[in-house]
Amino acid sequence: MAEDTIPTYELNDGNTLPAVGFGTYPLAGDEGVDAITNALEVGYRLLDTAVNYGNENEVGEALRRSGLPRDEVQVTSKLPGRHHAYDEAVASVHASLGRLGLEYLDLHLIHWPNPSVDKYVEAWQALVDLQKEGLIRSIGVSNFTEAHLTRIIDASGVTPAVNQVELHPRFPQEEMRRVHDRLGIRTEAWSPMGKRRAPLEEAAVTGAAERLGVTTGQVILRWHVQIGSLPIPKSSNPERQRHNLDIFGFELTDDEVDAISALGEADGRLFGGDPDTHEEM
Ligand SMILES: NC(=O)c1ccc[n+]([C@@H]2O[C@H](COP(=O)([O-])OP(=O)(O)OC[C@H]3O[C@@H](n4cnc5c(N)ncnc54)[C@H](OP(=O)(O)O)[C@@H]3O)[C@@H](O)[C@H]2O)c1
């Protein structure tokens, strides 16, 4: 699929993001570079990495190997919990840029709020200042609740462009999506398939896949697009990489979207990833 057929979203800072990206965890080493380079070759233009994935070197290497101009690919990385203090956050971003071999990041996120440490407001102020310096084009957060969002917005006057949250059919996050819409924040979805809980065999998904002549994975990713969520699927398989990008030439009915959303469960989270208690150091 040609990259010019991927729609884009405009963010609240005027920058844009492609409507689907490529998750890079846990791709690492030579195999990781190969998988990420292949993702760029098949047309992904948004890569998602993090300090804690230990693969920023590989992402930078894949970008160079692809031969694509820097401004045609968007790179997201994330600030780990142990770097939330202001000076450490600044140093951390410089270190990420060094590992990636880049002069700027397209998007940098606070990986988790780590409320028990209670330094995410400082971390946010560092990202606000680094954006002003031009080292990061767009700034955002990940795994923030409404209370965490409100606190950093009140403290800085700057609304994150993106909140990257766990979101898949078992955990559709209706309430957070409403919060994001109200605040003008783009919802990005991690574990968009639902990993080991991916509902690839559920009738709501297989029925739509049969009707449309697409794969069950494509149906799940198309559901994200139609609910306004930006998915970042990871795949090390070249065929699934291509399919996961090819989700803009067909449409689910409203009933199909609702049936997939109805797969949501109260305890639908994949692991103990509750933003109020999870500590990502
Ligand atoms: N912000 C955060 O806290 C956070 C947390 C977790 C993840 N993330 C980010 O989100 C990205 C994606 O999340 P994830 O890797 O946890 O979950 P995911 O993308 O939902 O699922 C990945 C798994 O699904 C398989 N898969 C991919 N496409 C498929 C398809 N079309 N049909 C069937 N199976 C398919 C992959 O296997 P194959 O590789 O064999 O295809 C892999 O095992 C990560 O890579 C990372 O960048 C962020």
Side-chain angles (χ1 to χ4, degrees):
M1 157 170 217
E3 63 276 6
D4 58 6
T5 56
I6 305 175
T8 55
Y9 290 118
E10 183 168 343
L11 305 177
N12 62 17
D13 59 9
N15 294 326
T16 59
L17 282 181
V20 59
F22 184 73
T24 69
Y25 182 76
L27 302 172
D30 291 342
E31 276 179 28
V33 175
D34 289 345
I36 301 164
T37 307
N38 194 72
L40 291 168
E41 276 166 10
V42 301
Y44 290 87
R45 291 295 177 267
L46 171 63
L47 301 178
D48 185 83
T49 181
V51 171
N52 279 351
Y53 300 169
N55 66 0
E56 290 175 308
N57 281 304
E58 283 89 336
V59 168
E61 176 59 24
L63 186 50
R64 283 185 292 282
R65 214 186 266 184
S66 75
L68 287 164
R70 170 68 186 93
D71 62 0
E72 284 186 19
V73 181
Q74 305 224 36
V75 179
T76 303
S77 192
K78 310 189 194 79
L79 184 78
R82 63 188 177 283
H83 296 161
H84 278 194
Y86 186 94
D87 289 344
E88 289 181 30
V90 171
S92 179
V93 170
H94 282 278
S96 284
L97 288 169
R99 284 187 293 272
L100 285 157
L102 298 178
E103 288 179 1
Y104 66 90
L105 278 151
D106 297 277
L107 177 64
H108 205 59
L109 311 177
I110 299 177
H111 203 150
W112 284 86
N114 283 18
S116 64
V117 177
D118 198 21
K119 286 197 175 152
Y120 61 88
V121 177
E122 254 185 72
W124 181 243
Q125 196 56 57
L127 296 196
V128 168
D129 292 346
L130 290 163
Q131 183 183 33
K132 286 191 192 129
E133 276 183 46
L135 293 185
I136 311 172
R137 293 186 67 229
S138 291
I139 54 176
V141 296
S142 181
N143 303 301
F144 272 44
T145 64
E146 181 175 11
H148 303 138
L149 290 170
T150 306
R151 191 161 162 221
I152 59 170
I153 295 167
D154 287 351
S156 67
V158 182
T159 301
V162 166
N163 189 14
Q164 183 183 113
V165 294
E166 176 177 353
L167 200 173
H168 45 77
R170 305 284 187 201
F171 196 59
Q173 292 264 30
E174 278 99 355
E175 190 164 337
M176 278 314 291
R177 285 190 277 123
R178 269 194 296 276
V179 169
H180 294 162
D181 287 348
R182 183 165 48 76
L183 296 173
I185 296 171
R186 171 58 44 195
T187 301
E188 221 181 24
W190 63 258
S191 292
M193 315 292 295
K195 274 199 133 162
R196 65 187 151 69
R197 304 206 58 205
L200 298 168
E201 322 257 292
E202 292 279 358
V205 176
T206 57
E210 261 170 51
R211 182 184 74 78
L212 291 157
V214 298
T215 70
T216 47
Q218 286 173 305
V219 167
I220 296 173
L221 294 170
R222 180 67 204 180
W223 169 82
H224 280 274
V225 172
Q226 289 187 222
I227 63 168
S229 154
L230 192 168
I232 48 167
K234 169 265 168 188
S235 180
S236 33
N237 174 290
E239 194 181 353
R240 285 194 284 279
Q241 287 185 357
R242 261 197 313 279
H243 283 157
N244 290 351
L245 197 58
D246 188 9
I247 52 174
F248 301 103
F250 63 93
E251 199 161 344
L252 302 171
T253 64
D254 290 347
D255 285 349
E256 286 168 339
V257 170
D258 291 346
I260 296 170
S261 301
L263 297 172
E265 297 166 7
D267 62 348
R269 284 188 195 280
L270 285 170
F271 64 105
D274 178 344
D276 280 316
T277 53
H278 180 82
E279 291 183 26
E280 173 95 359
M281 301 314 284

